[in-house]
Amino acid sequence: MAHPNQKPSRKQAQKTSARERIQEAQRQEKLAAKRRKLIVGGVSIVAVLALAGGTALAISKGGDDKSSSAAEPTALVVPANTSGPDGTVITYGKPDAAHTLQVFEDFRCPVCKTFEAANGDTIKKLADDGTVKVEYHLAAFLDKNLGGKGSRTALAAMGAAVNEGVDKFKAYHDVLYANQPEEREDAFGDVNHLLELADQVPGLKTDAFVKAVTERTYAPWAKKVADAFNASGVTGTPTVKVDGKPLTLFPGNRPATPEQFTAQVKQAAGLQ
């Protein structure tokens, strides 16, 4: 046994140093894992609280999303069948409809998926029968909140879809929400996955569509659309308004039924 005042041997010092390095590496990995859990899990917590409180899922913190690739094109190409400054608004329905229903969504927003599952078909019916026209205002702030590029990549693919036609956009929009990945995954960041999902929309997957999605032709346009959302004053998704009046999408902590949603739309539009 070493004397209390005796210096440790070189071999003992090396063992102690190696053990300390291992312990420090383990500590750093635990801290990194904790940070990852907080970053990714934070939106899950917000989602649970959102549903519990009947409010929107995620809060946009504004600012630009920095997750896009440096290799993206920089020239702004505005797809056909859009309106507003830089074509940032996509309108579905009869242009002469007297009332406007605005939908604010992010393709990675799980509560948007819940809303679409409950009332996406109802929105389509209200637009198809001329009760309202639907303006889509699309966001990409969840890329910043969660990490990745799925919101922006999906939004760029939507530019290719609406360029093929508004009906194609609406059908592809519905397909993406029906096949939304779990929020911790960034499957929409893969253009090949988005092209596979496009197979579910008859007539969408033209050569022009495939080329635009693969080359991310509409990525600069997607940035303009996301910036327009950030400047809209809407702070969470999903948000739905009729003629500027917000609707309650989760009354009683549950998604509005189609009957409840339709009644709200008609009341806000002064139709009942």
Side-chain angles (χ1 to χ4, degrees):
M1 177 180 295
H3 190 275
N5 294 324
Q6 180 181 343
K7 292 182 180 180
S9 69
R10 184 177 179 182
K11 187 174 182 181
Q12 288 174 324
Q14 287 176 336
K15 286 182 178 179
T16 300
S17 177
R19 184 169 61 250
E20 289 174 346
R21 287 197 300 271
I22 292 170
Q23 289 173 342
E24 176 63 17
Q26 291 172 336
R27 188 179 72 84
Q28 291 296 332
E29 175 56 30
K30 287 180 180 178
L31 287 174
K34 184 176 181 180
R35 285 195 296 270
R36 288 194 297 269
K37 185 176 181 181
L38 286 172
I39 291 169
V40 175
V43 174
S44 297
I45 294 169
V46 174
V48 172
L49 292 175
L51 284 173
T55 58
L57 158 72
I59 301 302
S60 171
K61 298 181 181 176
D64 189 18
D65 168 45
K66 305 296 184 183
S67 64
S68 57
S69 168
E72 285 183 355
T74 56
L76 176 63
V77 179
V78 177
N81 308 305
T82 59
S83 60
D86 297 317
T88 54
V89 180
I90 301 171
T91 304
Y92 175 82
K94 299 177 182 178
D96 60 351
H99 303 282
T100 302
L101 186 149
Q102 295 176 298
V103 178
F104 299 82
E105 296 177 317
D106 186 309
F107 282 108
R108 291 180 74 182
C109 163
V111 180
C112 294
K113 177 180 180 178
T114 299
F115 165 70
E116 285 289 338
N119 284 298
D121 289 344
T122 304
I123 288 177
K124 185 177 187 302
K125 180 178 182 299
L126 290 167
D128 289 346
D129 68 17
T131 301
V132 296
K133 56 180 176 290
V134 184
E135 288 184 355
Y136 286 93
H137 302 264
L138 301 171
F141 64 87
L142 282 176
D143 285 348
K144 181 178 179 181
N145 291 5
L146 293 170
K149 58 183 181 180
S151 293
R152 283 276 295 280
T153 306
L155 186 45
M158 279 298 147
V162 75
N163 193 63
E164 297 291 327
V166 176
D167 288 347
K168 297 291 192 297
F169 156 80
K170 181 65 171 71
Y172 192 42
H173 164 280
D174 295 351
V175 165
L176 290 198
Y177 274 115
N179 293 274
Q180 185 189 75
E182 200 274 336
E183 65 181 308
R184 291 176 179 80
E185 299 175 4
D186 194 32
F188 284 170
D190 180 357
V191 295
N192 291 319
H193 180 58
L194 293 172
L195 288 172
E196 289 174 0
L197 292 175
D199 286 328
Q200 298 183 34
V201 181
L204 173 60
K205 208 169 176 181
T206 65
D207 290 344
F209 173 83
V210 172
K211 183 175 187 293
V213 173
T214 302
E215 297 180 0
R216 298 200 62 177
T217 300
Y218 295 106
W221 169 81
K223 182 181 183 303
K224 293 286 187 181
V225 175
D227 288 346
F229 174 92
N230 290 339
S232 70
V234 171
T235 57
T237 57
T239 292
V240 178
K241 300 180 180 182
V242 174
D243 297 341
K245 303 169 187 174
L247 305 185
T248 301
L249 305 184
F250 295 91
N253 303 334
R254 296 177 181 274
T257 65
E259 294 76 19
Q260 290 172 328
F261 184 80
T262 300
Q264 283 194 70
V265 170
K266 291 185 175 180
Q267 182 176 11
L271 299 175
Q272 67 176 28

